[in-house]
C-alpha cells in the first residue's frame, strides 16, 4: 500500500472540511490502528474520504479486512445522541455493530468481492440513545476499488427513512381503519374528478348502480342508473354543490335502479366539494347510505299516524260535542263548584288534545298533498291584532303589536292565523321566565313581514337549520315542554305554499325571533 500513498502534505488536502467528522478524522490517533497514519493511506481511501466529507448525503465507509470505520456529518445524527458516536470512528465494524453484524456481514462481503447491493426502506434495528431502535434505511453497499484493482472497502450510501416509513404506516393504518368503518357502516363511497366527470367508487357503489367496479366510471353512466323521476334533481344538486362560491356541501336522497338487476334502492348521498384558490371544484367525494328500510319504516309510521289520527277524530269530535253540552248545562243549572272545576279542566285538556290531533291530521294532509288553501285578500295587520287579542285573553303574557297598520295580502286567513298562533304559542311555551312578547309588522320590499319576539330560553344556533323539519324538537328527550315537533313544519309548509319565507334568529338563553313573509297584494 505504501508505494501508492500520496505525498505530504497533499494527503491533508483530501481530508479538508467535513465539519465535526472532518475534524475528528484529522485529529484521530490513526497510528494505533491497522491503517496507520493518514500520510500512508492509499489514494483510493483518501479520495473516498474526501468525497464523503464533502457530501451532504449520509455515507459510511468500512475499510480493510477489519472494516475500520469512517462516517460523515450527514450520517452522524442517525447514531443518536448517545451510543456509537464517536467510538465507531476508527473502530472495527464487528465491535460497533454487534446487534446486526449477521445482517451486515453478507453485504460487506459482497462489496469486498466487488458487488453492489441496494435495499429500500429496510428495517435495520440499531442500538442508539440507550435502546434498540427500529430504524428504516434505503441504502447501497458499493465496493471501493483500490490501486491494485481489488476492493479495499465498502462504501455505504444511505438514507434513514424511519420517519417516512412510519408516516406511510400511519396512513396505511388510517386507510385500513377507514375502510373498516366504511364496511361496518355498509357505506358506498365515490370520488368524482370534476375535470373529467369520471368517478371511482368502492365495490358496493358499483354493485348498487349495477356498473363494473372499475376506475373512471363516467358520471353519465351513474346518472342513467338513477330513477328517472330523481335524475334531474340529482344532476342539479351535483352542479349546485360544485358551483364556484357554493359551500360545497351535498346531501340528497334518491332511488338507484341497478343497471344489471333492476333492483331499486333508496340511498342518501352525502359529499363535499374541494375547491382550488380560483374557486374551481377540484375534487368531489362522499358516501352513499342505503336508506330503503328507513324510508319504508317512515312510510309505515306516516300511514299509522294517518290511520290513528283519523280513527281518533270521530270519538274526539263527539266527546268535544258532549263536553260542550255539559259545559252549557254546568253554566245554566245549579251544580257544585267541584263539578264546574272538573268540567273546565276536562274542557282544557280536550282542547289540547284537539290541537295535537289537528297537527297530526294537518301533517297527513301535507304528506298527501291535500292541505287545501282558500285564499282571500285581507289586511294582515288586522289578523295579527285580532289573533293577539284573542290569545292575550286566556294568558298572562303581555303581547305588544307594533308596526305597519296596513299590509294587504292574498292568502288563506285561517292558515296564516294558524302559523301566527303557533309562533305565539311557542313564544309563550318556551319563555317560562319572561312575560313579554313583541309582535312587529314590517314592510320588507314587496313583502309583508311578521316577527314574533320572545325573551325566553332561546335556541342553540346549531339546531336552527333543523327547526322546521318534521317531528324535530330541540330537546327531543326532555319532557319539560310538551309538543310533537310538528307546528313549525306545518307553518313552514303553509308559508312556502303562499310563496313566502319563514325563518328564525335566536341565541341560546337570549330568546328567539320567529318571522314569516308574504307577498303584499
Ligand atoms: P313543538 O313546540 O310542538 O315541539 P314546533 O314545531 O312548534 O313543535 O317547534 C319545534 C321545536 O322548536 C320545539 O320543540 C322547540 O324546541 C323549538 N322552538 C320553537 N319555538 C321556540 C321558541 N320560541 N323558543 C325556543 N325554542 C323554540
Amino acid at each position: 500500500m505504501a508505494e501508492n500513498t500520496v505525498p505530504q502534505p497533499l494527503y491533508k488536502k483530501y481530508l479538508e472540511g467535513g465539519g465535526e467528522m472532518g475534524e475528528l478524522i484529522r485529529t484521530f490517533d490513526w497510528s494505533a490502528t491497522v491503517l496507520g497514519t493518514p500520510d500512508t493511506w492509499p489514494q483510493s481511501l483518501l479520495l473516498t474520504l474526501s468525497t464523503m466529507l464533502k457530501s451532504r448525503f449520509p455515507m459510511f465507509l468500512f475499510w480493510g479486512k477489519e472494516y475500520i470505520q469512517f462516517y460523515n456529518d450527514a450520517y452522524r445524527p442517525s447514531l443518536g445522541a448517545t451510543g456509537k458516536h464517536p467510538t465507531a470512528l476508527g473502530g472495527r465494524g464487528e465491535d460497533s455493530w454487534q446487534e446486526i453484524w449477521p445482517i451486515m456481514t453478507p453485504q460487506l462481503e459482497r462489496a469486498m468481492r466487488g458487488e453492489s447491493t441496494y435495499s429500500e426502506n429496510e428495517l435495520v434495528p440499531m442500538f442508539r440513545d440507550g435502546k434498540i431502535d427500529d430504524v428504516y434505511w434505503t441504502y447501497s453497499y458499493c465496493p471501493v476499488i483500490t490501486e491494485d484493482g481489488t476492493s479495499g472497502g465498502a462504501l455505504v450510501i444511505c438514507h434513514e427513512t424511519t420517519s417516512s416509513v412510519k408516516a406511510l404506516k400511519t396512513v396505511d393504518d388510517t386507510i385500513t381503519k377507514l375502510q373498516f368503518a366504511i364496511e361496518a357502516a355498509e357505506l358506498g363511497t365515490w370520488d368524482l374528478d370534476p375535470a373529467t366527470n369520471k368517478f371511482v367508487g368502492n365495490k358496493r357503489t358499483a354493485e348498487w348502480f349495477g356498473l363494473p367496479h372499475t376506475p373512471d366510471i363516467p358520471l353519465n353512466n351513474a346518472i342513467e342508473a338513477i330513477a328517472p323521476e330523481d335524475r334531474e334533481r340529482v344532476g342539479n344538486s351535483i352542479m349546485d354543490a360544485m358551483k364556484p362560491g357554493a359551500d360545497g356541501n351535498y346531501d340528497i336522497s334518491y332511488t338507484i335502479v341497478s343497471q344489471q338487476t333492476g333492483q331499486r334502492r333508496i340511498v342518501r348521498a352525502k359529499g363535499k366539494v374541494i375547491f382550488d384558490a380560483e374557486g374551481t371544484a377540484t375534487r368531489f367525494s362522499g358516501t352513499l347510505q342505503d336508506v330503503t328500510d328507513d324510508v319504508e319504516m317512515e312510510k309505515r309510521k306516516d300511514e299509522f299516524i294517518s290511520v290513528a289520527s283519523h280513527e281518533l277524530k270521530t270519538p274526539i269530535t263527539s266527546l268535544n260535542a258532549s263536553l260542550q253540552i255539559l259545559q252549557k248545562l254546568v253554566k245554566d243549572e245549579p251544580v257544585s263548584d267541584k263539578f264546574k272545576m272538573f268540567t273546565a279542566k276536562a274542557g282544557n285538556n280536550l282542547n289540547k288534545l284537539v290541537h295535537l290531533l289537528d297537527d297530526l291530521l294537518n301533517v297527513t294532509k301535507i304528506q298527501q298533498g291535500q292541505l287545501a288553501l282558500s285564499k282571500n285578500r285581507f289586511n294582515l295587520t288586522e289578523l295579527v291584532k285580532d289573533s293577539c287579542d284573542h290569545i292575550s285573553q286566556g294568558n298572562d303574557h303581555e303581547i305588544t303589536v307594533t308596526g305597519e297598520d296596513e299590509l294587504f295580502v292574498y292568502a288563506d286567513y285561517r292558515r296564516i292565523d294558524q302559523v301566527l298562533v303557533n309562533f305565539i304559542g311557542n313564544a309563550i311555551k318556551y319563555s317560562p321566565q319572561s312575560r313579554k312578547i313583541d309582535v312587529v309588522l314590517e314592510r320588507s320590499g314587496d313583502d309583508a313581514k311578521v316577527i314574533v319576539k320572545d325573551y325566553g330560553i332561546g335556541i342553540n344556533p346549531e339546531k336552527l337549520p333543523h327547526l322546521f323539519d318534521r317531528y324535530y324538537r330541540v330537546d327531543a328527550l326532555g319532557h319539560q315542554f310538551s309538543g310533537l315537533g310538528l307546528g313549525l313544519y306545518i307553518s313552514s309548509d303553509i308559508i312556502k305554499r303562499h310563496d313566502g319565507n319563514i325563518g328564525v334568529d335566536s341565541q341560546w338563553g337570549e330568546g328567539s325571533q320567529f318571522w314569516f313573509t308574504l307577498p303584499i297584494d
Side-chain angles (χ1 to χ4, degrees):
M1 254 186 217
E3 56 272 27
N4 293 317
T5 55
V6 177
Q8 285 200 55
L10 191 54
Y11 80 91
K12 290 190 175 167
K13 202 83 191 122
Y14 287 101
L15 300 180
E16 273 175 2
E20 180 196 351
M21 292 315 298
E23 181 66 21
L24 285 177
I25 291 172
R26 287 189 292 273
T27 52
F28 192 85
D29 180 11
W30 294 103
S31 62
T33 71
V34 287
L35 295 185
T37 51
D39 56 310
T40 65
W41 292 354
Q43 187 165 12
S44 47
L45 170 58
L46 287 168
L47 193 57
T48 310
L49 286 174
S50 167
T51 308
M52 265 178 73
L53 291 180
K54 287 181 176 49
S55 173
R56 299 278 176 87
F57 207 87
M59 293 185 196
F60 201 102
L61 177 67
F62 296 91
W63 194 260
K65 288 198 172 59
E66 295 196 4
Y67 299 122
I68 301 298
Q69 304 165 123
F70 301 86
Y71 48 96
N72 63 2
D73 269 10
Y75 184 89
R76 157 78 196 88
S78 291
L79 293 175
T82 59
K84 301 186 197 305
H85 176 75
T87 45
L89 180 67
R92 292 175 349 124
E94 191 172 358
D95 297 337
S96 296
W97 298 98
Q98 284 170 9
E99 70 276 28
I100 47 167
W101 195 238
I103 303 178
M104 291 171 74
T105 317
Q107 303 182 77
L108 286 167
E109 283 172 356
R110 281 180 68 181
M112 293 309 266
R113 286 199 302 271
E115 295 168 27
S116 297
T117 69
Y118 178 74
S119 307
E120 203 166 318
N121 294 329
E122 188 109 335
L123 175 63
V124 185
M126 66 183 270
F127 185 81
R128 65 181 180 192
D129 296 333
K131 59 182 190 315
I132 295 280
D133 247 355
D134 277 350
V135 186
Y136 291 83
W137 300 93
T138 290
Y139 60 88
S140 169
Y141 280 62
C142 67
V144 179
I145 304 301
T146 55
E147 290 69 4
D148 62 8
T150 60
S151 176
L155 176 65
V156 186
I157 299 176
C158 51
H159 178 47
E160 186 182 338
T161 56
T162 310
S163 55
S164 37
V165 168
K166 286 192 174 157
L168 269 178
K169 208 168 144 9
T170 309
V171 172
D172 277 352
D173 285 353
T174 311
I175 290 174
T176 308
K177 278 186 202 150
L178 184 66
Q179 271 164 352
F180 187 76
I182 286 169
E183 274 315 303
E186 296 181 2
L187 293 175
T189 59
W190 48 270
D191 181 15
L192 176 75
D193 179 352
T196 60
N197 249 3
K198 290 185 175 167
F199 75 98
V200 274
N202 67 355
K203 227 170 125 196
R204 188 173 283 116
T205 300
E207 193 187 306
W208 286 353
F209 279 88
L211 296 170
H213 183 215
T214 49
D216 291 343
I217 302 172
L219 181 61
N220 277 345
N221 293 9
I223 298 270
E224 271 167 33
I226 293 174
E229 64 275 19
D230 290 340
R231 244 173 243 166
E232 194 182 331
R233 196 169 49 89
V234 176
N236 289 342
S237 185
I238 292 174
M239 283 192 311
D240 285 350
M242 293 198 294
K243 254 188 209 151
D247 65 3
N249 289 325
Y250 173 72
D251 186 350
I252 188 170
S253 295
Y254 55 87
T255 301
I256 299 174
V257 186
S258 163
Q259 297 287 77
Q260 296 228 312
T261 63
Q263 188 186 347
R264 294 175 74 86
R265 193 185 300 271
I266 305 171
V267 293
R268 180 168 180 192
K270 283 181 113 181
K272 184 91 191 157
V273 182
I274 296 174
F275 296 96
D276 64 13
E278 277 80 48
T280 309
T282 54
R283 192 94 188 253
F284 185 16
S285 26
T287 56
L288 290 175
Q289 185 189 1
D290 185 343
V291 292
T292 314
D293 290 346
D294 299 352
V295 171
E296 283 303 318
M297 184 74 102
E298 187 88 344
K299 246 194 221 159
R300 263 181 275 156
K301 193 171 76 187
D302 288 346
E303 276 162 19
F304 170 77
I305 288 172
S306 164
V307 171
S309 48
H310 274 102
E311 288 298 317
L312 284 171
K313 191 174 167 61
T314 315
I316 286 180
T317 309
S318 69
L319 190 62
N320 204 6
S322 306
L323 198 64
Q324 276 173 14
I325 296 172
L326 201 60
Q327 277 167 337
K328 201 165 172 322
L329 287 176
V330 165
K331 226 166 127 195
D332 299 344
E333 316 243 330
V335 289
S336 75
D337 282 351
K338 266 195 181 165
F339 206 89
K340 282 184 185 166
M341 187 186 81
F342 281 117
T343 317
K345 267 195 175 174
N348 279 341
N349 282 316
L350 192 59
N351 258 341
K352 280 188 193 162
L353 195 58
V354 168
H355 275 123
L356 289 175
L357 191 61
D358 274 349
D359 274 357
L360 289 174
L361 287 167
N362 280 328
V363 168
T364 304
K365 280 186 191 158
I366 291 174
Q367 293 303 111
Q368 294 167 352
Q370 288 173 355
L371 191 83
L373 295 181
S374 153
K375 292 188 180 177
N376 285 301
R377 189 170 186 271
F378 61 87
N379 184 354
L380 184 62
T381 306
E382 273 172 24
L383 178 152
V384 171
K385 283 186 174 157
D386 287 353
S387 198
C388 290
D389 276 354
H390 190 241
I391 298 171
S392 294
Q393 278 167 25
N395 222 289
D396 50 3
H397 272 71
E398 189 192 315
I399 306 174
T400 317
V401 182
T402 54
E404 298 283 330
D405 282 334
E406 269 196 2
L407 288 170
F408 275 89
V409 293
Y410 183 69
D412 184 324
Y413 189 97
R414 224 168 50 81
R415 292 294 178 198
I416 300 302
D417 186 49
Q418 185 181 346
V419 174
L420 192 71
V421 169
N422 180 240
F423 275 15
I424 299 178
N426 280 346
I428 294 172
K429 183 160 66 168
Y430 298 107
S431 318
Q433 320 289 2
S434 143
R435 295 270 159 269
K436 193 168 137 61
I437 292 169
D438 294 323
V439 181
V440 184
L441 287 144
E442 281 178 7
R443 197 177 279 271
S444 164
D446 292 337
D447 290 333
K449 186 170 187 181
V450 181
I451 307 163
V452 176
K453 291 187 193 177
D454 67 59
Y455 303 88
I457 61 169
I459 302 159
N460 189 335
E462 68 193 36
K463 309 276 182 181
L464 295 181
H466 308 288
L467 227 53
F468 297 91
D469 293 351
R470 199 158 49 125
Y471 304 123
Y472 186 80
R473 311 201 67 222
V474 171
D475 187 16
L477 298 177
H479 296 293
Q480 194 187 354
F481 304 104
S482 67
L484 295 175
L486 291 176
L488 290 179
Y489 168 71
I490 297 168
S491 300
S492 161
D493 185 76
I494 292 172
I495 295 298
K496 283 186 190 141
R497 291 180 55 206
H498 279 87
D499 297 323
N501 282 314
I502 192 164
V504 55
D505 303 307
S506 185
Q507 278 299 329
W508 183 234
E510 289 178 22
S512 314
Q513 295 191 21
F514 281 85
W515 56 264
F516 68 84
T517 63
L518 291 175
I520 290 175
D521 188 50

